[in-house]
Amino acid sequence: GAVVSQHPSRVICKSGTSVKIECRSLDFQATTMFWYRQFPKQSLMLMATSNEGSKATYEQGVEKDKFLINHASLTLSTLTVTSAHPEDSSFYICSAEDEGIGDHYGYTFGSGTRLTVV
Amino acid sequence: AQSVTQLDSHVSVSEGTPVLLRCNYSSSYSPSLFWYVQHPNKGLQLLLKYTSAATLVKGINGFEAEFKKSETSFHLTKPSAHMSDAAEYFCVVSGGYGGATNKLIFGTGTLLAVQP
């Protein structure tokens, strides 16, 4: 089945630095990928939709200059948290649309990245 | 607009007893519905999905869910809980048909505890 690899699984960085998270579709091409943020004991909140070869679509309230998304190929999307602050500490998860069934697409999730900003 | 409501934030069962995790949805279109499971500090694993085919959907690990349009429900069940089932479960709705704007809307999650 479809597999999405997300890297790194954990990262600790200092305030003010930038962190890049990668999301790769290993055995399928993903025109569209999604980035989510999950706070402790809460649900997933969609941050942005990443489209190969075009600009990402950000959800309301998400700073596009803070969370840079690049989807340069059909198998790779990256999320860069710029000038990280402790409040950016969270669990970030990506997902990719796979072939699904008929008109209804399926979604495969990465294993997540635990970001801690100190 | 689509939305999903998970009626219980916590459910506790004894090992070997049935599991019922409740989910109600709202959708303007014919929805796709999913159940995902998340173990601590892990990504999400798809348990099952409904995509307008059979209303009773069988998933992995003995889970199943029934789509009931009249009740706008998609409850997740399992006949006999196992200790390894302890995790967070998310009911998810996706409205409309395919394409880049086909976003997933997540419920708030149900934490399932399994007592020995």
Side-chain angles (χ1 to χ4, degrees), chain B:
Chain B
Q2 290 78 41
S3 67
V4 60
T5 302
Q6 291 183 245
L7 299 165
D8 308 294
S9 59
H10 291 81
V11 170
S12 182
V13 301
S14 298
E15 189 175 22
T17 64
V19 175
L20 170 63
L21 304 183
R22 298 182 294 168
C23 173
N24 286 96
Y25 71 92
S26 174
S27 177
S28 302
Y29 305 97
S30 179
S32 293
L33 291 158
F34 309 78
W35 274 99
Y36 283 89
V37 61
Q38 184 182 33
H39 289 89
N41 293 310
K42 299 291 185 183
L44 276 72
Q45 181 182 21
L46 179 67
L47 284 177
L48 49 81
K49 58 184 174 183
Y50 166 77
T51 54
S52 74
T55 56
L56 182 62
V57 183
K58 293 187 182 299
I60 62 172
N61 301 336
F63 285 95
E64 62 182 38
E66 185 171 7
F67 174 74
K68 291 187 177 180
K69 188 174 181 179
S70 61
E71 299 177 10
T72 60
S73 68
F74 190 59
H75 302 333
L76 180 70
T77 61
K78 182 174 180 176
S80 176
H82 191 273
M83 294 297 289
S84 60
D85 294 329
E88 185 92 31
Y89 291 80
F90 293 98
C91 183
V92 182
V93 64
S94 173
Y97 292 89
T101 58
N102 208 13
K103 301 175 186 176
L104 297 182
I105 308 298
F106 282 77
T108 50
T110 298
L111 184 62
L112 175 65
V114 182
Q115 309 299 329

